[in-house]
Amino acid sequence: MVDDGAGGLPDSRMLAMLDDDRQGWVLARSVREDGRIVDFELVYINEAGCRFVGRSRQELLGRRYRQLWPETAHDATLPLYRDVVEKREPVTRMVHHERPTLTGHFELRISPFGDGVGVRFVDLRQVTVAPQSGGGTRLFDALDAAFDGFTLLRAVTDETGEVVDFVCDYVNQLGAKLAGRTAADVIGHRLSDISPGSWDNGLFDRYRAVATTGEPWREQRTYPRIGQVWEVKMARAGAGVPAVAVSFREVTDQVTQEQHLAAVAAKAEQAAARATEAAARATALQTATTALVAASTTAEVYAAIGSVLRPSAGGQGLALLLLHERRLQLRYHDGYEPDVVERLRELPLDHPYPATSVARTGHPQYLTSLAQFQAAQPDPATAVPAGVRQAWAFLPLSVGGEVLGTLVVGYRNPRDFDYDEQATLMALAGLGAQALQRALLFEARTTLASALQRALLPATLPHVPGLRHAARYLPWTHGADVGGDWYDIIDLGDGVVGVVIGDVAGHSATAAATMGQVRNALRAYAAEQHNPASVVHHVNQLLLDMHPDTIATCCYLQLHLAEGTATAVTAGHPPPMLRIEDGAHPLRLRPGPPLGVTPDAVYLDTTLLIPPAATLLLYTDGLVEDRRHPIDQGLRELRAALHGAQTGDPGETLDHILGSDVGPRPRTDDVAVLCLTSDAVPAGPPTARRRFRGEAISASAARRFAADVLTAWDQQQILDDALLLLDEVITNAIQHTVGDVTVHLRLDEHLRVTVHDASNRAPERRTSPTDDNDNGRGLHIIEGLAIAWGSEPDTSGGKRVWFDLPRA
């Protein structure tokens, strides 16, 4: 091709040839900045090319790729074109398009053209199986219409010639659909990108063996999670670079039919054995009745079930699961394997294991084969294993219309449960349920209150280096009543500790149960690395969903021990007390409403400094107030007692406070107190770092964090400039990246603010942002206010954008 050496147009004869070509042609020149290719400008396109892209020449010529097709900056198109220009080596790429005016497979042939590229679009639909035949059957249309899924994989080898990966050169429409993708998402991509699971399930080894040895391969593969069986065939294709042609089709119905025929034959052999078993069932009922009536405790009931009921039922495995707070808990088992027992220990009632539906409905279920058992639990990741059993009876333990749980009897061989056998099994389960209910009532000597209180308060608090702590709980309630006060310490790793204290309104088993749910939910949200305001927001929504008539208060803090900082949020709860050298005072936190009041509640966190050796005290309102004792008076008493505790030991501090004249006497509410002392001494200049979700609301949260920290560092003089520049940087990060954003403040000779995000794309400064377009204006503002700024890749991935301001 003739060109002017700089990416201009060829001579008129060459242009005439390009105009006449039935395939699309595009000529584009490189757009460079500082010598680096950053884009391509379209200088020529023929009519076929216009039809391909669905636009006219007037819309295309003179415009850049990033303007015309922004996705090319991310789908590897522009880097591919840049490599062709710089390496002067042509490449070929196959793509698939589905547009209203154009659908099919296309080959892009990209060649260097001066300081630019020439691209030819070849419509592979015009490739035919037999060009001279009357029908002119087209190969790709034929493959797209094929019943079987089909794909062609080209081997990728390393320097030793060993096959290390494959590239998809073609996939028909059905094959792409079965993979849950479009053909455009698959063609041209590596197997390791589009199907990384091929290394785990052994398919990659099969592909490699076929490509290297030439031996074809065929296998039926079962996928229990979706309940399907597929036949996969592979054969080497072509010469030169090894390639593998793969076809696959579903044969579930065929395999199921084969299994059904085998089961019919087995049933005939088992009929005689079941007739003999039926004669012994009547005697078994009398034996089981005698043993269960004599049982008084649950241990005796379980012993009778194991020694009498299981043999009477004829099973080779037995499990007894009881309902407890919308879950099934394993209370007794006999003949089950350890892995089955482990899965059965506790099951939510929405689990697909048949015992849960029996417990919900009170209706028995009989599974006569392993296939039925597997179909009932389609997800292998959560399924209870079958063990050596191939048939099951799931029987409700029901007394007076109340279902206590489920009795599971397992059998080693498939079996049909006839009417007589089902009646016998239900009678045995009824006897067991009656005996079990009597035993449970007999043992109900320990009140529900004490059991709940022991279970829901943490038995021990975690050891965290650099942090000493102690807790006290003073119950006021007695008998069947139980309070909702609670506390917790959560080690979040990397020197970050979550600390929470709360109080669920009321004194009842329901209040205590709600307290446990709120505590566990808060731990879960905290472990997911939500910031404190987000943690409390999620707990509020959960409480409204689960217990809309319940109100609770809490105060949650995240302590960053290495920094000497804390971020706290309160939901209608008294503020913590902080004792430092010059005295004790309540923390000034942004107030929030109690949990469970409104779904529109807004919780704003506050970041503050925790000096070394400072003592932090969290408490519930029962310590400082009741209807007779105003809270202001109680807070003054608590502040004086904390200041007067002449010790740095958290336990001794709590003993001093509880022994002082603090709050109402006698008490009329439960009390929980938690005391913490930080021994960590921050090293180096003051720093503070927080991570925020990549959401628009995080920009205001980051500004709030920075404002709190800079105010605590006495940097109010530069506060406005710092927040303005931080807003520009973090807003840009949130808009142009996916994932979390980290803000790092460091006060040294200057104030340095660093924002890290997951994107490798450097900030772009427009030369002259217009009045009606703010894009690019942020960097101008940063250059005007900061004494220095920069953007650089981060070793852990993504980039860091930073700016410096003079410290006040």
Side-chain angles (χ1 to χ4, degrees):
M1 181 181 294
V2 179
D3 66 79
D4 62 6
L9 290 174
D11 58 33
S12 58
R13 291 177 300 170
M14 181 60 70
L15 286 177
M17 294 176 61
L18 297 182
D19 286 338
D20 291 338
D21 196 337
R22 296 176 60 187
Q23 306 297 343
W25 271 99
V26 164
L27 302 179
R29 70 172 185 85
S30 302
V31 177
R32 297 178 179 267
E33 291 183 3
D34 299 329
R36 182 174 179 271
I37 298 175
V38 297
D39 208 341
F40 288 88
E41 180 183 330
L42 208 69
V43 298
Y44 170 80
I45 183 169
N46 67 357
E47 289 299 329
C50 289
R51 290 193 301 272
F52 179 86
V53 299
R55 298 189 186 183
S56 66
R57 286 183 176 175
Q58 289 78 9
E59 296 179 82
L60 300 171
L61 295 182
R63 299 187 68 186
R64 298 184 179 182
Y65 264 68
R66 290 180 183 268
Q67 297 171 325
L68 295 170
W69 304 289
E71 68 274 8
T72 58
H74 308 289
D75 66 1
T77 299
L78 288 182
L80 177 66
Y81 287 10
R82 183 168 56 240
D83 287 346
V84 171
V85 176
E86 294 174 348
K87 298 179 181 179
R88 314 303 296 175
E89 296 178 358
V91 298
T92 300
R93 180 179 180 185
M94 182 181 290
V95 299
H96 181 271
H97 286 288
E98 290 187 13
R99 299 174 178 167
T101 58
L102 194 65
T103 300
H105 296 81
F106 297 85
E107 183 179 76
L108 304 184
R109 300 176 181 174
I110 308 151
S111 304
F113 171 66
D115 189 26
V117 294
V119 184
R120 186 171 188 241
F121 305 88
V122 179
D123 187 349
L124 295 180
R125 297 178 305 166
Q126 298 177 6
V127 178
T128 59
V129 177
Q132 305 304 320
S133 67
T137 307
R138 293 175 177 173
L139 172 60
F140 284 91
D141 284 347
L143 290 175
D144 277 342
F147 175 77
D148 285 355
F150 179 82
T151 185
L152 186 64
L153 303 176
R154 171 169 44 86
V156 177
T157 58
D158 59 13
E159 60 275 4
T160 65
E162 182 179 356
V163 177
V164 296
D165 206 343
F166 287 88
V167 173
C168 180
D169 278 345
Y170 173 78
V171 64
N172 68 353
Q173 294 294 322
L174 181 58
K177 182 178 180 181
L178 292 173
R181 300 170 180 260
T182 65
D185 293 334
V186 176
I187 294 175
H189 294 274
R190 291 198 172 202
L191 184 66
S192 54
D193 294 328
I194 60 179
S195 181
S198 298
W199 273 257
D200 297 328
N201 61 26
L203 282 178
F204 170 75
D205 294 332
R206 294 293 187 183
Y207 296 148
R208 179 168 55 187
V210 172
T212 54
T213 66
E215 292 292 329
W217 179 80
R218 172 183 175 183
E219 183 180 78
Q220 286 185 352
R221 299 180 72 89
T222 302
Y223 296 90
R225 183 176 62 85
I226 59 175
Q228 293 180 349
V229 182
W230 286 80
E231 182 181 70
V232 183
K233 298 179 182 179
M234 302 179 192
R236 188 160 68 181
V241 177
V244 179
V246 185
S247 67
F248 36 95
R249 67 189 181 96
E250 185 187 356
V251 293
T252 307
D253 291 342
Q254 175 185 336
V255 172
T256 302
Q257 182 64 24
E258 294 172 354
Q259 294 174 343
H260 175 70
L261 292 175
V264 170
K267 290 176 183 178
E269 298 176 0
Q270 297 165 2
R274 289 200 302 271
T276 304
E277 295 172 0
R281 287 197 285 265
T283 304
L285 277 174
Q286 183 59 45
T287 304
T289 300
T290 303
L292 291 172
V293 167
S296 298
T297 66
T298 54
E300 293 174 349
V301 171
Y302 297 149
I305 287 175
S307 61
V308 178
L309 196 149
R310 181 171 74 90
S312 300
Q316 288 76 43
L318 184 142
L320 189 148
L321 301 99
L322 293 185
L323 275 170
H324 180 68
E325 294 183 354
R326 301 292 300 170
R327 305 179 76 84
L328 277 181
Q329 294 182 343
L330 181 66
R331 295 300 180 87
Y332 176 79
H333 62 89
D334 185 22
Y336 273 93
E337 298 80 5
D339 61 327
V340 181
V341 172
E342 187 61 31
R343 289 290 186 92
L344 286 174
R345 291 206 180 276
E346 189 169 80
L347 296 172
L349 283 186
D350 58 357
H351 192 282
Y353 187 62
T356 59
S357 64
V358 171
R360 292 195 307 267
T361 65
H363 300 300
Q365 288 191 31
Y366 302 95
L367 303 185
T368 62
S369 68
L370 180 61
Q372 289 184 356
F373 184 81
Q374 293 172 338
Q377 302 180 93
D379 187 358
T382 60
V384 175
V388 298
R389 282 152 292 282
Q390 298 191 50
W392 293 260
F394 295 91
L395 311 169
L397 293 169
S398 179
V399 180
E402 177 188 3
V403 179
L404 304 179
T406 304
L407 182 67
V408 184
V409 183
Y411 302 84
R412 292 187 182 275
N413 299 311
R415 67 192 290 135
D416 288 329
F417 297 90
D418 58 29
Y419 175 81
D420 291 337
E421 184 174 10
Q422 291 182 21
T424 300
L425 290 171
M426 285 296 293
L428 290 171
L431 291 171
Q434 293 173 14
L436 188 59
Q437 185 187 53
R438 292 193 302 270
L440 290 172
L441 293 174
F442 179 76
E443 293 180 342
R445 295 173 179 172
T446 302
T447 66
L448 177 62
S450 61
L452 282 173
Q453 203 69 67
R454 289 195 304 269
L456 297 177
L457 286 177
T460 60
L461 296 174
H463 171 73
V464 180
L467 184 68
R468 290 176 291 136
H469 52 71
R472 300 286 188 270
Y473 179 77
L474 281 67
W476 172 77
T477 53
H478 302 282
D481 291 334
V482 59
D485 293 29
W486 57 285
Y487 56 84
D488 207 353
I489 294 179
I490 311 162
D491 188 353
L492 301 176
D494 296 329
V496 182
V497 182
V499 181
V500 64
I501 196 163
D503 183 5
V504 176
H507 297 91
S508 64
T510 300
T514 302
M515 175 262 282
Q517 292 171 326
V518 171
R519 172 175 173 260
N520 291 335
L522 191 142
R523 287 185 66 92
Y525 292 131
E528 290 179 350
Q529 303 300 317
H530 291 277
N531 61 50
S534 180
V535 168
V536 175
H537 168 77
H538 286 303
V539 172
N540 180 58
Q541 298 301 317
L542 178 70
L543 185 60
L544 286 166
D545 291 341
M546 298 179 61
H547 303 281
D549 297 327
T550 301
I551 296 177
T553 68
C554 80
C555 182
Y556 174 60
L557 301 88
Q558 281 185 0
L559 304 179
H560 294 252
L561 301 178
E563 300 175 356
T565 67
T567 298
V569 63
T570 179
H573 200 84
M577 289 277 183
L578 181 67
R579 185 185 68 187
I580 53 179
E581 292 182 355
D582 60 352
H585 63 273
L587 298 181
R588 298 176 62 87
L589 305 180
R590 296 178 175 91
L595 304 173
V597 173
T598 171
D600 300 322
V602 176
Y603 300 98
L604 301 178
D605 47 34
T606 304
T607 300
L608 43 92
L609 303 184
I610 304 295
T615 296
L616 190 64
L617 182 73
L618 291 83
Y619 53 94
T620 55
D621 61 349
L623 178 66
V624 294
E625 70 164 336
D626 66 7
R627 289 177 293 179
R628 301 170 291 109
H629 200 91
I631 188 171
D632 291 340
Q633 178 183 345
L635 291 177
R636 288 194 300 269
E637 295 166 351
L638 177 59
R639 181 176 179 180
L642 179 59
H643 178 63
Q646 302 298 317
T647 176
D649 180 77
E652 295 177 359
T653 299
L654 289 182
D655 292 340
H656 173 80
I657 292 172
L658 296 176
S660 302
D661 189 15
V662 175
R665 297 295 178 94
R667 301 200 185 278
T668 59
D669 197 0
D670 298 340
V671 173
V673 284
L674 181 60
C675 185
L676 308 101
T677 299
S678 173
D679 296 327
V681 179
T687 62
R689 182 195 306 266
R690 294 295 186 273
R691 183 172 64 179
F692 301 92
R693 298 292 177 110
E695 304 167 349
I697 196 174
S698 294
S700 60
R703 291 194 301 271
R704 188 165 58 249
F705 156 67
D708 290 344
V709 174
L710 294 181
T711 300
W713 287 347
D714 294 327
Q715 298 298 306
Q716 292 90 335
Q717 294 182 11
I718 62 171
L719 180 60
D720 291 341
D721 288 348
L723 296 183
L724 174 62
L725 301 190
L726 173 61
D727 186 63
E728 294 292 343
V729 176
I730 196 169
T731 299
N732 183 72
I734 292 173
Q735 288 178 345
H736 298 290
T737 190
V738 176
D740 294 346
V741 178
T742 301
V743 177
H744 182 199
L745 308 177
R746 179 185 177 92
L747 186 63
D748 207 342
E749 296 180 0
H750 306 292
L751 170 67
R752 169 158 291 189
V753 180
T754 304
V755 176
H756 173 266
D757 62 58
S759 172
N760 294 319
R761 178 183 176 184
E764 296 183 10
R765 180 175 65 85
R766 298 186 182 275
T767 55
S768 56
T770 62
D771 291 338
D772 58 353
N773 185 359
D774 289 337
N775 290 339
R777 189 183 300 275
L779 295 185
H780 288 276
I781 297 175
I782 294 174
E783 289 179 344
L785 296 179
I787 59 177
W789 78 280
S791 175
E792 54 199 33
D794 190 84
T795 56
S796 61
K799 68 175 182 300
R800 298 192 303 270
V801 180
W802 57 269
F803 61 84
D804 291 344
L805 291 173
R807 66 181 293 167

